[in-house]
Amino acid sequence: MIKQIPVCRYEQLIPGRGVAVLLPDGSQAAVFRTAKDELYAVGNLDPATGAYVISRGLTGSRGGMPTVASPMLKHVYELASGRCVDGPAGPDPAHRLPTYPVLREAETVYVLEDPAIPRDGNAFVLDDAGAAAGDA
Amino acid sequence: MRILIVGYGMVGHRCASVLSELAAQRAAGDEPVSITVLSKEARPAYDRVHLTALFNGSTDADLTYDDPPGVEVVLGEEAVALDLAARIVTGAGGSTYAYDALVLATGSRPFVPPVPGHDLPGCFVYRTVEDVDAIKAYAAGRRVGAVVGGGLLGLEAAGALTSLGLDTHVIEFAPRLMPLQVDDAGGMALRQRISELGVTVHSGTRTEAVHAGEDGAAAEMLLAAGHDPSDQRTLPVEMVVFAAGVRPWDTIGREFGLALGERGGIKVDAHCLTSDPHVYAVGECAMAMDGRVYGLVAPGYSMAETAARHILAGDSKPFLGADLSTKLKLMGVDVASFGDAFGTTAGARTTLYSDESQGLYKKLVVTEDGRLLGGILVGDASAYDVLKPLAGTDTPLPADPIRLLLPPSDGEAVTLGVGSLPDSATICSCHNVSKGSLLEAVQEDGCATVGDLKRCTKAGTGCGSCIPMLGKLLDAAGVEQSTALCPHFAQTRSELYEIVLVRRIGTFAQLVAEHGVEGADVEGCEICKPAVASILASLSGRLGGPKHILSGEQAALQDTNDHFLANLQKNGSYSVVPRIPGGEITPEKLIVIGEVARDFGLYTKITGGQRIDLFGARVEQLPAIWRRLVDAGFESGHAYGKSLRTVKSCVGSEWCRYGVQESVAMAIELELRYRGLRSPHKIKAAVSGCARECAEAQGKDIGVIATENGWNLYVAGNGGFSPRHADLFAKDLSRQELIRAIDRFLMFYIRTAERLERTSVWIERIEGGLEHVRDVVLNDSLGLGAELEALMDAHVGSYTDEWRAAIEDPETLRRFVSFVNAPDTPDPSIEFTTERGQIKPLLTIGRRADRTDDVKDLVSAG
């Protein structure tokens, strides 16, 4: 069952920064608005340290892909895929952030959560939500 | 086999270490080995070469070596008798030590010329930790000191006295300084540079006597230039350090029947064996095969290895003599001498470059057919690393010798590249890595950065002095070394600063659009955004940019600490540090801090910068905490910023019996002047009220030490991972002169330093180093003085308290929430336990299943 979780009003998001979102199951997401006004949501837990701080990281881009750098040990994650593309010892495939579909409707930003869906980067496309859920 | 070592200096320690390693490698059936060391000093072996570090904030513990495993060390035991026939050494207390092999490593003793008064109170030698402690204690409160001896040791001692704030005189009998390492002209250049640092050099001068004052302590020296009594003159001094050389400590050999050299030193053969087949001598107490007594540590180490391997391994490398090449920095001045520095080889030809205006002197000695034999470099020894490996080899010089010595000129800089070195040349002497192995790492292991080379070969991970060479080697190997700040900007931070200043750029978006690399993403990254934010903040007073680091677009540029104006801790909570200027605080304010900490349940700790850190605040608590603090008159301490942290101070002349100036008042004035100044890295400062230096100012970026005539300014000190002793920058400044010098220094640093470059690294890196910075700041050599001061005035004039502004702005306050969709719910992941009566983070790692693991489970289940 997909839940559409209201996050905040769009104008509350500062371009280039993130906010933390408490999800109904008690887990946390980090929602970002990039400088180009794109929206992304990933898990708020920094897998390298166990602290819920990803939302406070700095956004940026690597090779044209939007990223966030964890404020803890500066692992850099792609916002779209959650992949760790850089860190103190280079890219680390063992660390990956879950990703969430995020949606803007009438000036409100929502995160979509479906526990049954593998949070595997771009595999999840909003329009195919039902199909993707059915396949899993 | 019983092995006994007498003497536990650096060479004795090395010998014991090698023996210990060899003993550990012996097979089970081999004869058992016992190793005993007798140390006259009552302390373990230590690094005597870096004795000066004790004046730079290091402690004797930093210099102490570990005892090698399996070695019995007897401290405080002086060997007084040696029975060669019975093979027994007797200690001062009567204990006896039988041996099968004996190694004498007794070192040397300071040579004190037997002039009248040489043993008065106030006369010292410079050899041991105890000597250093005695010099430091005696120097406190005194103003003039003299060093007898202008060689390597003497100039080190002079540097030590200068760093203690004394007016320092050096008396050298030879006509020039460092007579063993440099020639007359080199000595002149060295003298000029040392004189500029405030040391008065009396060369070609003899010390005739030290006279006592009314208190019976040294008060005056009698000096003479020739034999005519009318040449004599007196020099008022308050202390004298004898550093006129050393003599081999060969007493035990002399008294108990070992053969000695004519001018002292226990005679040894190529295996370091003395005239007795069971006794070896190594280091400064020994006279080697070539008739020399080596006073440097490297030959001592070679001898220690030769003797140790001869005793236990039977494959010792003969010690026939050693290279006396040296490169050192004395009081910040480069001096290097290598190979045949004096041109004694038949047919040797010399090439000279000398520039008195810059205090530079360089000489190369070459053969008729252009092979390098040796050289001398004073004032700039940067070419030493590439020239020394070429000396004495058949590798031809890559260009005319003179072109190698000339400073690079526009258009045609001839620099002696690492490319001209043979593959066998050692680049990293700490880990003995050759150019060939480094090239192999580049070509075969794909090393493309200095970091790669360090990881792969260990080169550059010892003293670090070869790191610039590693970069050059990568260049020479065709690996492009980018100075670009990040993928979005091809410029360095300092270049971006100039662009922002000159073009009056007000935003990151404008800077990246107009000056970023072609097609640079406006998103920037976590490297360029905070760097540009810092530049914009440093210049906001001047350019009239946003007054607050969280206003407008800047909010998105700041690192997390700056974004929440607090310091992120490991569990996602923050710490709070109110400013306590100069470390001075009223009881009322102290109580407020205590009450705030108690009411919010925060962990409190006194920081090294004389203030109080409150830990464990959640994001949403920060505004409430600060409202209370601001109401009580506190303001942001900028502990979160790359900016001025604190100006630490001692209590100064208002209270202290020894203080000569009001250090607290000065510290407060400086802290209030420079608070909030954004810079390439954090800046720490301190003010001490007298030469006792209780505020530890010489370990700070800006250190101020009171003198009876004003203030001495020290710069570019650092604690931390690679400590650096601050350099004395200017002496006896008035208050106005001091502030002007610091204004200019800091603004010049902010303008020219690279990202996250502390002053200590910057001053070593910037072309011309300390001298150049001093010229710019004190002599206004670039004509920038007025502009730098104006920039600082603009900063001072536009300063506002960031926290007061934050809690007064509802827009900013709205960001200080735990969750944007549940602002009243505290983050459940931040939990604490208690320890020693205070909170401590309860770490969440592993507590909750990592979401990526969930993914794996689902995928495998599907």
Side-chain angles (χ1 to χ4, degrees):
Chain A
M1 180 60 199
I2 300 171
K3 289 182 193 145
Q4 185 162 322
I5 302 145
V7 172
C8 60
R9 281 175 294 111
Y10 179 71
E11 65 183 31
Q12 280 179 272
L13 297 175
I14 302 169
R17 289 226 85 99
V19 293
V21 179
L22 187 61
L23 300 177
D25 69 352
S27 63
Q28 299 182 18
V31 173
F32 296 91
R33 171 176 169 185
T34 67
K36 288 193 278 259
D37 291 334
E38 296 165 347
L39 293 175
Y40 293 91
V42 293
N44 195 31
L45 174 68
D46 175 19
T49 63
Y52 287 76
V53 293
I54 293 296
S55 63
R56 303 178 207 160
L58 271 175
T59 60
S61 78
R62 292 286 163 100
M65 299 296 283
T67 57
V68 61
S70 166
M72 281 291 174
L73 301 178
K74 314 290 181 213
H75 291 86
V76 177
Y77 299 93
E78 270 181 12
L79 286 173
S81 67
R83 289 189 308 132
C84 175
V85 292
D86 205 356
D92 188 348
H95 291 147
R96 185 161 196 169
L97 303 180
T99 59
Y100 299 83
V102 60
L103 149 88
R104 176 182 168 189
E105 253 181 29
E107 294 314 302
T108 300
V109 177
Y110 298 89
V111 165
L112 304 192
E113 198 202 25
D114 183 341
I117 296 187
R119 306 209 185 283
D120 195 10
N122 289 328
F124 189 99
V125 181
L126 187 59
D127 290 346
D128 297 337
D135 287 344
Chain B
M1 176 183 239
R2 297 160 301 177
I3 306 171
L4 180 65
I5 303 170
V6 173
Y8 200 34
M10 298 174 78
V11 172
H13 179 266
R14 173 59 69 97
C15 191
S17 305
V18 177
L19 286 168
S20 156
E21 279 168 29
L22 293 173
Q25 292 162 11
R26 287 165 77 85
D30 290 346
E31 181 194 357
V33 171
S34 73
I35 306 165
T36 306
V37 188
L38 307 186
S39 167
K40 190 175 113 178
E41 286 187 63
R43 57 171 71 243
Y46 57 91
D47 180 357
R48 205 186 301 277
V49 168
H50 289 107
L51 213 50
T52 30
L54 295 178
F55 293 95
N56 306 350
S58 298
T59 65
D60 48 353
D62 299 333
L63 301 185
T64 301
Y65 295 128
D66 291 334
D67 290 337
V71 174
E72 189 194 348
V73 179
V74 188
L75 295 180
E77 176 70 301
E78 184 179 7
V80 296
L82 165 61
D83 185 338
L84 292 174
R87 288 191 235 149
I88 287 174
V89 167
T90 308
S95 306
T96 56
Y97 302 89
Y99 64 83
D100 300 304
L102 171 66
V103 182
L104 298 174
T106 44
S108 57
R109 70 181 101 211
F111 168 66
V112 178
V115 296
H118 67 81
D119 49 1
L120 286 171
C123 289
F124 298 88
V125 294
Y126 186 75
R127 182 74 187 161
T128 64
V129 170
E130 282 74 19
D131 295 336
V132 168
D133 289 344
I135 289 170
K136 273 176 149 174
Y138 196 84
R142 296 181 206 272
R143 287 181 306 176
V144 187
V147 175
V148 178
L152 201 157
L153 194 64
L155 292 182
E156 280 197 353
L161 291 190
T162 311
S163 73
L164 292 172
L166 269 65
D167 285 336
T168 305
H169 296 261
V170 170
I171 293 111
E172 168 58 43
F173 180 66
R176 61 171 184 266
L177 293 171
M178 295 190 69
L180 298 181
Q181 286 83 12
V182 305
D183 57 13
D184 281 337
M188 283 299 293
L190 180 57
R191 176 188 186 129
Q192 182 196 331
R193 294 293 288 263
I194 301 264
S195 303
E196 283 166 10
L197 299 174
V199 173
T200 312
V201 178
H202 311 261
S203 59
T205 303
R206 222 169 36 246
T207 304
E208 299 273 278
V210 181
H211 295 153
E214 285 176 7
D215 60 354
E220 185 183 86
M221 295 176 83
L222 184 63
L223 305 179
H227 292 288
D228 180 353
S230 66
D231 274 352
Q232 292 188 339
R233 62 206 165 87
T234 57
L235 177 70
V237 293
E238 289 170 287
M239 62 188 299
V240 181
V241 178
F242 287 99
V246 294
R247 296 290 181 266
W249 205 313
D250 53 13
T251 322
I252 200 162
R254 184 183 299 274
E255 290 179 358
F256 297 95
L258 294 174
L260 298 186
E262 272 175 34
R263 292 190 298 167
I266 301 164
K267 248 181 160 165
V268 297
D269 68 8
H271 303 298
C272 295
L273 261 180
T274 66
S275 53
D276 182 287
H278 298 282
V279 182
Y280 299 77
V282 296
E284 295 181 308
C285 68
M287 189 190 84
M289 279 284 279
D290 59 354
R292 302 175 91 142
V293 174
Y294 287 96
L296 296 173
V297 72
Y301 280 172
S302 305
M303 293 172 90
E305 294 200 18
T306 296
R309 298 197 76 86
H310 196 250
I311 295 168
L312 278 186
D315 64 345
S316 83
K317 187 174 150 203
F319 182 84
L320 302 172
D323 177 29
L324 288 174
S325 300
T326 37
K327 175 191 170 191
L328 27 101
K329 223 182 191 54
L330 287 164
M331 306 175 67
V333 181
D334 278 349
V335 183
S337 159
F338 60 96
D340 180 11
F342 294 92
T344 54
T345 308
R349 297 169 174 188
T350 60
T351 302
L352 293 176
Y353 171 77
S354 158
D355 181 352
E356 288 183 5
S357 68
Q358 302 290 318
L360 288 175
Y361 174 77
K362 303 178 182 185
K363 174 171 104 171
L364 292 185
V365 180
V366 296
T367 61
E368 286 173 17
D369 59 351
R371 320 271 169 189
L372 185 64
L373 290 168
I376 294 171
L377 305 167
V378 176
D380 168 21
S382 53
Y384 176 84
D385 293 334
V386 280
L387 288 173
K388 193 207 154 217
L390 288 177
T393 69
D394 284 336
T395 311
L397 283 173
D400 284 348
I402 188 66
R403 306 200 47 204
L404 300 175
L405 296 181
L406 287 171
S409 58
D410 291 342
E412 50 154 357
V414 176
T415 43
L416 184 47
V418 67
S420 54
L421 289 178
D423 278 1
S424 59
T426 302
I427 305 290
C428 170
S429 20
C430 297
H431 291 285
N432 199 18
V433 185
S434 68
K435 179 186 165 189
S437 350
L438 287 165
L439 283 180
E440 203 177 293
V442 170
Q443 283 148 9
E444 292 177 19
D445 303 328
C447 290
T449 64
V450 171
D452 290 347
L453 284 177
K454 286 162 87 170
R455 269 190 297 277
C456 199
T457 65
K458 284 174 95 178
T461 57
C463 70
S465 64
C466 64
I467 290 174
M469 288 278 283
L470 299 181
K472 288 180 199 159
L473 187 133
L474 285 165
D475 287 343
V479 180
E480 203 164 306
Q481 294 287 294
S482 172
T483 58
L485 179 67
C486 73
H488 303 96
F489 288 99
Q491 301 88 343
T492 62
R493 179 205 168 274
S494 51
E495 289 164 349
L496 289 177
Y497 178 100
E498 294 292 337
I499 291 171
V500 170
L501 177 63
V502 173
R503 305 254 163 154
R504 307 187 67 84
I505 288 174
T507 64
F508 177 84
Q510 187 189 354
L511 187 64
V512 77
E514 294 175 8
H515 299 278
V517 299
E518 203 178 321
D521 196 323
V522 64
E523 299 290 346
C525 66
E526 74 284 355
I527 295 166
C528 59
K529 288 205 297 188
V532 171
S534 166
I535 293 172
L536 293 173
S538 294
L539 288 172
S540 72
R542 173 63 165 273
L543 301 182
K547 288 286 181 283
H548 198 280
I549 63 159
L550 297 184
S551 54
E553 175 224 40
Q554 287 217 45
L557 306 180
Q558 308 295 348
D559 233 328
T560 185
N561 282 359
D562 276 310
H563 186 60
F564 289 107
L565 306 170
N567 290 50
L568 179 66
Q569 302 298 334
K570 67 195 296 181
N571 66 342
S573 67
Y574 285 83
S575 79
V576 169
V577 186
R579 186 168 296 290
I580 301 178
E584 183 185 82
I585 185 164
T586 62
E588 285 74 20
K589 285 182 122 178
L590 203 49
I591 288 167
V592 170
I593 291 182
E595 286 173 343
V596 168
R598 182 195 59 206
D599 295 351
F600 287 89
L602 306 176
Y603 168 84
T604 56
K605 169 112 181 49
I606 311 283
T607 72
Q610 298 186 333
R611 43 196 196 170
I612 301 171
D613 207 339
L614 315 175
F615 289 79
R618 296 189 308 273
V619 164
E620 71 274 16
Q621 292 179 307
L622 290 170
I625 289 171
W626 271 103
R627 187 157 286 129
R628 297 249 317 249
L629 292 171
V630 167
D631 284 347
F634 286 103
E635 55 180 38
S636 167
H638 295 99
Y640 47 80
K642 304 291 180 229
S643 56
L644 178 83
R645 296 287 171 85
T646 70
V647 183
K648 188 176 170 178
S649 69
C650 69
V651 76
S653 61
E654 285 134 320
W655 288 90
C656 176
R657 288 173 292 143
Y658 300 108
V660 294
Q661 303 281 354
E662 297 183 355
S663 49
V664 177
M666 177 56 79
I668 292 173
E669 180 172 2
L670 295 180
E671 185 157 343
L672 296 182
R673 183 168 181 80
Y674 303 119
R675 65 187 161 180
L677 177 65
R678 287 303 198 281
S679 49
H681 211 312
K682 61 188 170 190
I683 299 170
K684 297 182 178 184
V687 182
S688 276
C690 79
R692 284 179 173 72
E693 240 285 70
C694 295
E696 298 164 330
Q698 291 169 91
K700 306 286 188 242
D701 299 277
I702 301 290
V704 177
I705 301 179
T707 70
E708 288 184 1
N709 309 316
W711 305 93
N712 283 354
L713 173 61
Y714 291 76
V715 298
N718 198 1
F721 186 67
S722 28
R724 182 181 190 277
H725 183 234
D727 293 306
L728 179 60
F729 197 69
K731 290 170 85 165
D732 293 329
L733 301 176
S734 68
R735 177 192 154 278
Q736 290 87 342
E737 289 169 335
L738 176 70
I739 286 173
R740 189 162 77 158
I742 301 176
D743 279 2
R744 290 180 175 187
F745 177 86
L746 285 177
M747 273 302 171
F748 190 55
Y749 161 64
I750 290 171
R751 183 177 195 130
T752 55
E754 294 311 330
R755 174 181 167 266
L756 300 184
E757 189 173 49
R758 290 290 296 267
T759 57
S760 56
V761 178
W762 167 73
I763 207 146
E764 300 275 350
R765 194 246 330 143
I766 193 169
E767 204 170 310
L770 174 69
E771 281 309 309
H772 172 61
V773 176
R774 188 184 272 136
D775 242 17
V776 171
V777 170
L778 300 181
N779 308 328
D780 201 7
S781 61
L782 296 182
L784 279 176
E787 181 175 349
L788 296 173
E789 286 170 45
L791 285 167
M792 188 61 84
D793 286 340
H795 160 74
V796 174
S798 67
Y799 168 83
T800 50
D801 173 23
E802 284 163 9
W803 260 112
R804 175 182 288 275
I807 59 175
E808 285 171 357
D809 178 31
E811 189 60 37
T812 305
L813 279 185
R814 211 174 309 152
R815 298 169 201 161
F816 288 84
V817 293
S818 51
F819 301 104
V820 71
N821 62 340
D824 298 325
T825 308
D827 183 346
S829 77
I830 297 180
E831 292 180 303
F832 298 98
T833 175
T834 51
E835 189 169 86
R836 295 186 296 278
Q838 296 207 68
I839 59 162
K840 170 180 120 166
L842 190 63
L843 291 179
T844 53
I845 196 156
R847 204 165 54 93
R848 179 189 297 273
D850 193 318
R851 304 284 306 222
T852 50
D853 293 336
D854 292 347
V855 171
K856 279 183 213 134
D857 291 342
L858 281 166
V859 170
S860 56

